[in-house]
Amino acid sequence: MRILLIEDDHLLGEGLARALGQSGHACDHLTHGRGAMAALAATPYDLVILDLGLPDGDGIDLLAQMRRQSVTLPVIILSARDGLQDRIRGLDVGGDDYLAKPFALGELEARIRALARRKPASPGLYTFGSLELDPGARSVSCNGEELDLTARELAVLELLIRHAGKVVSKQRFFEALYDWHAKANPSAIEVHVSRLRRKLEHADAGVGIRMLRGLGYRLELVDRE
Ligand code: CA
């Protein structure tokens, strides 16, 4: 998932962004609330993780502003304020979940998965040919057998299945897979695609990834003869 993390504690924010990146998410980190609305307008995020005590304002006000401006993304509030009234207020203003600091990374990741399952944009399973992709469980099966994919390969396949029959541009892959600071080379996408293609062939999936030069990639059914 493409995640926007707003957390003024540099150490915590950078550590979280790195950990979420290792779990296959692309996480951008802001240390102030300013810039958040512009980032949300410019980038197709799937989730926001929001600290409340920010140097330039209260995260609650930022959340209220997001909801007023019809930002419907799921928001997980992270806060050292752990009183009942704080939690109620955070959820009432438009938070989807509330995690009190200190928290365990494993719990944050489980809550991210729970929100991914709930997200209306990913209703249950995606299927294409013999493939079945479960965005909540982060798994793909082919004719009922689970495929062994890396987090990046799964993200590539998810984008292709969600846009099945359409061409997905390399730019779109970049936005979904890499954060602002990633020093990814454009050929990185080609590497993930070619490995994914080999795994699909090996699994005899009957599904191929066609490259349309200069445009991007498209998922297609292939003749198994
Ligand atoms: Ca803070």
Side-chain angles (χ1 to χ4, degrees):
M1 287 213 273
R2 186 78 197 256
I3 298 173
L4 179 63
L5 168 66
I6 307 168
E7 164 63 69
D8 63 313
D9 182 323
H10 285 264
L11 215 56
L12 175 61
E14 281 162 23
L16 267 183
R18 199 176 321 115
L20 293 172
Q22 281 163 2
S23 302
H25 302 290
C27 186
D28 295 323
H29 175 209
L30 290 178
T31 54
H32 289 69
R34 67 167 182 269
M37 295 307 297
L40 287 165
T43 307
Y45 290 106
D46 301 300
L47 174 81
V48 177
I49 300 176
L50 176 66
D51 177 32
L52 293 188
L54 295 169
D56 57 346
D58 193 320
I60 288 282
D61 297 331
L62 177 59
L63 177 55
Q65 186 190 359
M66 285 165 51
R67 294 315 189 207
R68 273 197 311 277
Q69 298 190 15
S70 305
V71 175
T72 56
L73 293 177
V75 173
I76 298 180
I77 298 171
L78 281 187
S79 181
R81 303 174 204 161
D82 61 351
L84 179 62
Q85 288 310 321
D86 292 313
R87 288 170 184 258
I88 290 173
R89 183 147 176 263
L91 297 172
D92 277 349
V93 168
D96 294 272
D97 204 347
Y98 196 110
L99 200 53
K101 294 176 184 172
F103 57 88
L105 179 64
E107 182 172 7
L108 176 62
E109 294 198 331
R111 289 178 184 226
I112 292 173
R113 286 194 295 275
L115 285 174
R117 285 195 294 272
R118 238 176 63 188
K119 215 178 66 161
S122 358
L125 303 175
Y126 292 102
T127 57
F128 187 83
S130 62
L131 298 179
E132 198 174 81
L133 187 146
D134 183 340
R138 313 302 303 152
S139 68
V140 184
S141 61
C142 172
N143 298 315
E145 289 220 18
E146 190 163 330
L147 293 183
D148 184 19
L149 302 185
T150 64
R152 298 274 195 226
E153 290 161 1
L154 192 121
V156 166
L157 186 58
E158 181 170 354
L159 258 188
L160 286 167
I161 290 190
R162 283 166 71 160
H163 300 89
K166 300 196 184 106
V167 178
V168 181
S169 69
K170 279 193 185 172
Q171 181 62 31
R172 186 74 190 77
F173 281 109
F174 260 97
E175 288 172 1
L177 267 67
Y178 296 101
D179 59 48
W180 296 330
H181 306 297
K183 293 180 184 63
N185 184 300
S187 63
I189 298 289
E190 290 161 27
V191 171
H192 295 307
V193 168
S194 80
R195 288 192 186 137
L196 179 59
R197 203 181 255 146
R198 271 204 302 278
K199 288 183 181 180
L200 292 174
E201 270 169 26
H202 187 72
D204 196 19
V207 172
I209 303 171
R210 177 185 295 268
M211 185 181 75
L212 295 106
R213 199 164 290 283
L215 293 176
Y217 297 97
R218 185 171 62 204
L219 203 59
E220 294 184 344
L221 293 174
V222 294
D223 204 338
R224 291 194 217 200
E225 301 306 315

